[in-house]
Amino acid sequence: MIIAVGSDHAGYEGEARQYKPAVMEHLRALGYGVIDCGTDGPDSVDYPDFAAAVCNEILAGRAEAGVLICGTGIGMGIAANRRSGIRAAVCATPDMARLSREHNDANILCVGKRVLSLEQVLELLDIWLDTPFSGGERHCRRVQKMG
Ligand code: RB5
């Protein structure tokens, strides 16, 4: 499975382990293919550009899912959800990560560097990746209504 990963400068904030490279490394260690959609460092950039890059990979079929990182996850979520066929979930708890897959069939996980520790982000990512869409009739109907 191929996963597209993008962030703004928040993915490269701080002296300690930076979130975007850590997320990509984590995914590769688990055996996932990774498409790096940038950014590549701490210089200030605009999150919609990187949300668009990850959405493009998914909508073109080059990636099955995506991870987006910004300060809160919110800007990335707003930007990504403007695209038809994208279901981007801003998650901050394990239950949100699980339910975004089970009920919403989320295809992008959005997380915030400034609101979650790296350990929390990786925990959410593992849950999100390991949880299938329930496929329940009511959930399929609701997802289809979103286009
Ligand atoms: C950038 O400073 C910050 O606004 C961005 O990372 C994100 O949190 C927006 O939602």
Side-chain angles (χ1 to χ4, degrees):
M1 180 172 175
I2 309 288
I3 301 183
V5 179
S7 78
D8 68 2
H9 45 283
Y12 285 89
E13 259 172 15
E15 303 300 313
R17 222 172 146 209
Q18 295 167 331
Y19 283 37
K20 177 166 163 278
V23 162
M24 293 194 300
E25 188 184 307
H26 187 75
L27 289 169
R28 289 187 180 116
L30 291 173
Y32 292 95
V34 173
I35 299 175
D36 183 353
C37 293
T39 190
D40 303 318
D43 292 346
S44 182
V45 292
D46 298 336
Y47 58 82
D49 297 336
F50 300 92
V54 166
C55 291
N56 289 342
E57 294 303 313
I58 294 171
L59 295 172
R62 291 186 291 268
E64 223 172 291
V67 179
L68 284 167
I69 304 161
C70 66
T72 58
I74 294 171
M76 287 297 195
I78 292 170
N81 280 317
R82 296 180 67 82
R83 304 286 294 276
S84 178
I86 294 296
R87 294 174 300 282
V90 183
C91 296
T93 70
D95 274 349
M96 291 171 78
R98 180 177 56 81
L99 289 168
S100 77
R101 290 288 310 129
E102 278 181 10
H103 289 190
N104 312 114
D105 197 18
N107 52 10
I108 297 182
L109 172 67
C110 302
V111 290
K113 192 271 166 193
R114 298 175 192 161
V115 295
L116 295 170
S117 70
L118 179 57
E119 290 66 34
Q120 287 172 316
V121 166
L122 298 181
E123 182 193 8
L124 297 187
L125 179 56
D126 287 343
I127 292 167
W128 194 78
L129 292 168
D130 289 344
T131 307
F133 178 47
S134 78
E137 190 276 329
R138 70 183 191 282
H139 298 306
C140 288
R141 184 179 69 243
R142 291 163 187 165
V143 166
Q144 277 164 10
K145 282 186 177 185
M146 292 189 283

